Amino acid sequence: MLMRVPRATIRTQVSVPLRFGDGYVAEARVISFDGLVDGREHLTFGLGDLSGHERTPLVRPHSECLTGDVFGSERCDCGPQLREAVERIAESGGYLLYLRQEGRGIGLYAKLDAYALQDIGLDTYEANLALGHREDERSYVAAAQMLHALGASKVALLSNNPDKARQLQRSGVGVVAQVPTGVHLSAANGRYLAAKAQRGAHTLDLGLLAG
Ligand SMILES: [Zn+2]
């Protein structure tokens, strides 16, 4: 069923040149908004050529992960996912939605508490439940608001997470294609990725994880 999504408007747009640790560079248009439902400072990074109206933008909703995005934590795959997404979107034209929802929505401190529980054997979803949270508390209504404000009513979604596609469609964003991201396996994130594939129904190639 379609949800009524309140209107958000573009607040500012500024150009920010990006340079990543591996030397990759891209030019981003960083966009802020008024009227986002949860009052958080979510951002959109416009990347690549968006001039062709007939073109469907490639869109990745990326949930903030301070430890992974900024410090290169190997407990998850957020850093490499973000880096991959920027390059792929810059190539085809589209938007990276940087959503301020740490730890699948439970917050940074609670995410670290959940890590402590994972160290004694719980998986990433069980740990959230043990802390009194839901497995995944993220809402993508603000993401849909940003896309509506940008005039992107139809998108190709760069994601392995079926919940993102479902929620966006419920909020009136047409998902015309779902494009999988790569698998970023490290010595420390194998169990985390396996849990995402098994419990979160992410489309990850588990053959790679078995190796
Ligand atoms: Zn992460």
Side-chain angles (χ1 to χ4, degrees), residues 83-116:
R83 168 66 184 80
E84 176 197 356
V86 169
E87 184 165 352
R88 290 180 67 177
I89 297 169
E91 278 166 6
S92 52
Y95 302 107
L96 184 124
L97 312 179
Y98 194 76
L99 305 171
R100 317 300 299 279
Q101 41 194 20
E102 267 282 355
R104 290 197 299 277
I106 69 175
L108 180 58
Y109 275 19
K111 179 179 85 172
L112 297 175
D113 293 344
Y115 281 172

Side-chain angles (χ1 to χ4, degrees), residues 55-61 93-95 97 143-144 146-148 150-158 164-165 168-169 172-179:
R55 204 180 303 165
T56 306
L58 182 62
V59 169
R60 173 157 181 83
Y95 302 107
L97 312 179
M146 293 194 280
L147 291 171
H148 287 306
L150 294 162
S153 55
K154 287 199 177 77
V155 304
L157 195 64
L158 181 60
K164 290 181 181 175
L168 286 177
Q169 281 178 308
V173 175
V175 176
V176 298
Q178 191 157 354
V179 184

Side-chain angles (χ1 to χ4, degrees), residues 126-150:
E126 292 164 351
N128 280 19
L129 294 175
L131 291 168
H133 294 286
R134 283 173 283 137
E135 289 187 354
D136 190 335
E137 299 196 350
R138 288 174 295 182
S139 156
Y140 298 97
V141 172
Q145 286 185 288
M146 293 194 280
L147 291 171
H148 287 306
L150 294 162

Side-chain angles (χ1 to χ4, degrees), residues 12-197:
T12 53
Q13 303 194 44
V14 291
S15 168
V16 179
L18 308 177
R19 178 183 293 274
F20 287 81
D22 60 1
Y24 173 74
V25 295
E27 188 70 29
R29 196 156 46 89
V30 179
I31 306 161
S32 62
F33 298 85
D34 283 316
L36 298 178
V37 284
D38 56 11
R40 295 193 192 157
E41 293 184 326
H42 305 294
L43 293 174
T44 290
F45 287 66
L47 295 158
D49 184 7
L50 291 158
S51 54
H53 277 299
E54 69 289 344
R55 204 180 303 165
T56 306
L58 182 62
V59 169
R60 173 157 181 83
H62 181 92
S63 298
E64 175 177 35
C65 172
L66 181 83
T67 46
D69 296 344
V70 180
F71 292 97
S73 163
E74 294 201 306
R75 290 194 73 127
C76 59
D77 59 344
C78 303
Q81 287 246 353
L82 180 62
R83 168 66 184 80
E84 176 197 356
V86 169
E87 184 165 352
R88 290 180 67 177
I89 297 169
E91 278 166 6
S92 52
Y95 302 107
L96 184 124
L97 312 179
Y98 194 76
L99 305 171
R100 317 300 299 279
Q101 41 194 20
E102 267 282 355
R104 290 197 299 277
I106 69 175
L108 180 58
Y109 275 19
K111 179 179 85 172
L112 297 175
D113 293 344
Y115 281 172
L117 291 176
Q118 288 168 50
D119 288 343
I120 57 169
L122 277 64
D123 76 25
T124 175
Y125 296 99
E126 292 164 351
N128 280 19
L129 294 175
L131 291 168
H133 294 286
R134 283 173 283 137
E135 289 187 354
D136 190 335
E137 299 196 350
R138 288 174 295 182
S139 156
Y140 298 97
V141 172
Q145 286 185 288
M146 293 194 280
L147 291 171
H148 287 306
L150 294 162
S153 55
K154 287 199 177 77
V155 304
L157 195 64
L158 181 60
S159 173
N160 301 323
N161 183 347
D163 188 42
K164 290 181 181 175
R166 259 195 311 266
Q167 286 204 38
L168 286 177
Q169 281 178 308
R170 225 182 293 141
S171 301
V173 175
V175 176
V176 298
Q178 191 157 354
V179 184
T181 65
V183 175
H184 301 282
L185 186 62
S186 75
N189 72 10
R191 265 177 15 111
Y192 166 79
L193 292 182
K196 280 215 295 196

